Each structure stands twice: as C-alpha cells, then as structure tokens.
C-alpha cells in the first residue's frame, strides 16, 4: 500500500489516472483504513477507472459486479449448484449412503461463487461494485455485511470471511439516492469534471499521440461546452476519444468543419448535437483557439 497521499497520487498517475489532491487523499485513506470507497458523480468522470488502476498498480485481481435492475443475491454473491447436488443425492441413493448426503449436501463444493464471494475468497482483490444506483434498493441490504465485516453468511453453510479484505470501490451516477446505511460504511468522494489543467494532464497521459496545440484547444473547447445547457455533458472519456479522433483525421488544430463532422464522438444525443452544430460550434472553436 502507498505510504502517503503523494505516493497514492503517484500510484494512480503510474496507471494513467491524474487525481487531484482531494481524491488522492480519499483514496489513500480508504486504502490505509481498510474502508470501502463510495464514489459518486456524473457519468464519464473516471469513477470506474479508479478501481481498474488500483487493481493494476497494487497489483490485485479485479472483481467487477455490474449492477442492474433486478440484480439479486444469486447473481451477486452465491448460488447453490442444484444440478450437482441432485447428482450427488442420486449417487448416494444408488450406493445406499443417504445419511451421509443429508449431512454434506450443503458442502462448500456445491456453492457457486459470484462476484461478492469471489472477492472474499482466493487471491487479494479489488472489488468494484459499479453503478449501484442502477440496482433495486432492497439489494443494498445484501451489501451491508460485506461492507462492514468483509464476510457473507450463507444460512445453510455458515459465515465465509475474507482472509485478506478486498479493496472495495462503489460507484454511483446518482440516478437515485443510495441508502444512508451504505454511505455510513464507506468513505465518500464526489468525482467532478476536471479543471482545464488536470484535463490537459489527462490527455497527455491517455492520448499521447495528440499534439500539444490540438490538446490545449480540445480541452478549452470542452471546458466551455460544459458550461452550456445540454442534456448530457461530455465526460473525460469523451474528451480523450474526441482528441484521438481528431488526431486520426490528421487535424493539427480545431476547425469548424472537423468539429461538426466529429460531434458524434463528443456528444451522444442528437438534440445536443443539433444545438451545438454550426454557429455555436464555430463560436466555441474561436474561443478555444484564443484561450489555448
């Protein structure tokens, strides 16, 4: 584990993630204190990437639980392999050992581990619980034991506790409020859009083939775009993709024509593209060139 906040920032930077001091401090404290880290913010601000970078740099095995509507315990934590259990019963009946089967039918070998249990067993892991706000509210109750004690209680088998607690990262895009019981068990950080200086540093790491001039103009354009009234503002991922797309078209600086032609890389809704395309895009290009 990194020794201090500066070392944590360096560890993230080595994995291609440029963190500000507040984020590096929160990540460091989560690692040092062994507490889950709850990251909230707009889509595309780099929440999921933090877990990926930590897994690569610590290094640890990454276990990802992608949340969705209808997610339940059998998909998230564990499930009994009923087919194997039934086969064991039939084999025991054929051998006349029914009494033994009754004692062992709920043995660990019949339990299929899903992401939560996988992260507690085996090699040290980074557990990413991604987009928790997409899961149903009752599902959050399943997580409380994992987040508080790094264990899962299986009624038929007993308590399965992690030998090495995983590093837990929970993300939310805030499509709904996550319950206070989850928040109290975690350290919290709001991941915001980066400022211009940090976004330039991110592009330098993640899009090294883009010229410094074009990179500065792209960042200036996107920073101004985020100040507008659009349905879905571009995140850092879109900034990186757009810079790489312009470089792939051999652009050396922003031009209104190339901007209009590539807005589908930066924006993901037609209403937003229609609103920006043309005069508004040309205006932002001029401002971006002047700022850069």
């Amino acid at each position: 584990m990194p020794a201090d906040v500066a070392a944590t920032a360096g560890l993230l930077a080595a994995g291609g993630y440029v963190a500000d001091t507040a984020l590096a401090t929160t990540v460091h404290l989560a690692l040092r204190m062994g507490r889950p880290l709850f990251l909230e913010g707009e889509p595309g601000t780099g929440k999921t990437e933090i877990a990926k970078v930590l897994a690569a740099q610590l290094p640890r095995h990454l276990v990802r639980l992608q949340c969705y509507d209808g997610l339940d315990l059998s998909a998230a934590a564990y499930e009994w392999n009923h087919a194997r259990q039934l086969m064991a019963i039939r084999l025991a009946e054929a051998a006349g050992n029914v009494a033994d089967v009754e004692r062992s039918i709920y043995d660990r070998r019949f339990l299929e581990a899903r992401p939560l249990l996988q992260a507690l067993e085996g090699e040290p892991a980074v557990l990413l619980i991604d987009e928790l706000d997409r899961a149903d509210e009752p599902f959050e109750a399943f997580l409380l034991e994992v987040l508080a004690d790094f264990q899962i209680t299986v009624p038929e088998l007993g308590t399965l506790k992690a030998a090495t607690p995983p590093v837990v990262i929970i993300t939310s895009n805030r499509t709904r409020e996550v319950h206070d019981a989850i928040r109290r068990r975690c350290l919290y950080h709001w991941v915001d859009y980066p400022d211009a200086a940090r976004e330039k540093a991110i592009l330098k790491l993640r899009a090294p083939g883009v010229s410094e001039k074009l990179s500065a103009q792209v960042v200036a354009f996107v920073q101004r775009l985020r100040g507008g009234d659009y349905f879905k503002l571009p995140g850092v991922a879109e900034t990186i993709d757009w810079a790489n797309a312009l470089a792939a078209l051999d652009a050396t600086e922003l031009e209104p024509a190339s901007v209009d032609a590539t807005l589908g890389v930066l924006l993901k809704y037609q209403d937003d593209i229609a609103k920006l395309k043309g005069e508004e895009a040309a205006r932002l290009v001029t401002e971006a060139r002047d700022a850069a």
Side-chain angles (χ1 to χ4, degrees), residues 36-162:
L37 176 56
F38 183 59
L39 300 173
E40 204 167 36
E42 296 295 331
T45 50
K47 302 182 296 297
T48 299
E49 192 66 22
I50 291 175
K52 294 179 179 178
V53 170
L54 286 176
Q57 295 300 312
L58 285 176
R60 287 191 172 205
H61 177 56
L62 177 64
V63 179
R64 181 172 183 168
L65 174 61
Q66 179 62 55
C67 298
Y68 55 86
D69 185 22
L71 179 66
D72 60 13
L73 191 64
S74 63
Y78 65 86
E79 184 176 22
W80 288 106
N81 190 326
H82 299 301
R84 288 190 64 195
Q85 287 175 317
L86 182 58
M87 181 173 290
I89 291 172
R90 289 176 176 173
L91 290 173
E93 288 175 343
N97 297 324
V98 177
D100 292 338
V101 173
E102 289 177 351
R103 288 193 297 269
S104 63
I105 192 64
Y106 286 110
D107 190 82
R108 177 63 185 84
R109 68 182 186 275
F110 296 117
L111 195 68
E112 298 287 344
R114 303 304 183 209
L116 293 180
L117 185 53
Q118 289 170 6
L120 299 183
E121 296 184 322
E123 59 185 294
V126 171
L127 171 60
L128 169 61
I129 303 174
D130 207 14
E131 298 183 321
L132 179 58
D133 53 318
R134 293 184 178 272
D136 300 324
E137 288 187 38
F139 173 72
E140 294 177 20
F142 295 142
L143 295 178
L144 298 181
E145 184 181 19
V146 175
L147 299 180
D149 301 312
F150 300 108
Q151 67 182 33
I152 291 177
T153 299
V154 182
E156 303 89 345
L157 187 61
T159 299
L160 303 175
K161 190 174 180 66

Side-chain angles (χ1 to χ4, degrees), residues 17 39-49 130-131 133-134 171-175 188-194 226 230-238:
Y17 195 99
L39 300 173
E40 204 167 36
E42 296 295 331
T45 50
K47 302 182 296 297
T48 299
E49 192 66 22
D130 207 14
E131 298 183 321
D133 53 318
R134 293 184 178 272
T171 73
S172 169
N173 294 330
R174 211 174 184 181
T175 58
Y188 175 84
H189 188 82
W190 175 268
V191 183
D192 209 346
Y193 295 114
R226 291 191 185 122
Y230 294 90
F231 181 73
K232 172 64 177 69
L233 297 176
V236 178
E238 284 75 31

